[in-house]
Amino acid sequence: MASSRKSKPSSTDSIETTVGAALKPLLIPGAKLVLGLSGGLDSVVLLEVLRRLATPLGFRLSCVHVNHGISPNARRWAAFCARRCKRHAIALALHQVDLEPYRAEGLEAAARRARYQVYARQKADFIVLAQHLDDQAETLLLQLLRGAGVKGGAAMPLLREQDSGRKGTRAPAILRPMLAVSRQQIEAYAKANK
């Protein structure tokens, strides 16, 4: 007699299913997605997931890497991203940013502002970021500790419009399809897919 219990989906199936379910209702055929590829585990896993979902969901995929010039490893990260994208024939735009105009905001805020300005200039329907469930929990906690109130308590949305900073032009929306995926699942996916 066959077992009536369903087998638990693998971490590969689970992440791809979760990300696919987040993307599907938002995409029109031929939509252009640009992944913010840092070279870290989260964005590299999302690159693999998006690469696998591009044909079934009918979207075009490219990547953008922003070098903030902060880390001594920045050039190595950019080179890693370039090799990864070349391996899969995915276009990659590399950008070096100047943080000096925003230094008064603090290093992290300056880097974020410069990075989002690069994202706003991309020719895409969506900028896809690899923030995940653990990032969401951390953001929520920090917002609440800062006294952000109800708006801050909402933490990061799946989809957020962004300002292009240029009159009459629309910036691509920010899309975070891994907000329901834990860091543990991401690590398991990376291990399973080498």
Side-chain angles (χ1 to χ4, degrees):
M1 182 193 300
S3 171
S4 62
R5 287 189 297 169
K6 291 182 179 178
S7 63
K8 185 177 178 186
S10 71
S11 60
T12 298
D13 294 339
S14 179
I15 290 179
E16 289 174 14
T17 300
T18 300
V19 170
L23 294 175
K24 193 172 183 175
L26 301 171
L27 302 181
I28 59 167
K32 182 161 194 282
L33 277 62
V34 175
L35 171 64
L37 184 63
S38 68
L41 180 67
D42 304 340
S43 68
V44 171
V45 163
L46 187 53
L47 172 62
E48 182 63 20
V49 169
L50 293 174
R51 187 181 72 75
R52 292 179 181 196
L53 292 173
T55 298
L57 293 181
F59 61 83
R60 296 173 293 142
L61 177 64
S62 64
C63 297
V64 61
H65 174 82
V66 179
N67 179 345
H68 302 93
I70 299 170
S71 171
N73 298 312
R75 284 189 175 163
R76 283 189 17 227
W77 294 336
F80 170 79
C81 291
R83 286 191 308 273
R84 196 81 188 180
C85 288
K86 184 177 180 182
R87 177 177 169 192
H88 297 297
I90 296 171
L92 172 67
L94 296 168
H95 292 272
Q96 174 82 38
V97 294
D98 179 15
L99 304 184
E100 200 53 45
Y102 316 111
R103 284 285 182 173
E105 299 174 26
L107 188 59
E108 190 174 322
R112 182 179 189 281
R113 184 184 286 232
R115 185 170 58 250
Y116 275 77
Q117 285 184 347
V118 169
Y119 293 163
R121 293 191 308 265
Q122 299 304 299
K123 297 204 180 323
D125 296 301
F126 300 99
I127 300 298
V128 186
L129 302 180
Q131 287 142 333
H132 51 78
L133 186 61
D134 297 52
D135 294 327
Q136 181 75 301
E138 181 181 318
T139 298
L140 176 61
L141 181 60
L142 287 172
Q143 293 285 48
L144 292 174
L145 288 172
R146 289 179 183 145
V150 175
K151 185 176 179 185
M156 292 182 284
L158 168 67
L159 182 66
R160 180 178 67 81
E161 296 298 324
Q162 65 172 342
D163 183 11
S164 71
R166 294 170 297 190
K167 194 172 187 170
T169 60
R170 182 187 153 287
I174 300 295
L175 180 56
R176 300 177 178 98
M178 290 204 312
L179 288 178
V181 176
S182 71
R183 174 68 184 201
Q184 184 178 9
Q185 288 174 291
I186 292 168
E187 290 171 357
Y189 184 99
K191 187 175 181 181
N193 290 281
K194 298 178 180 27

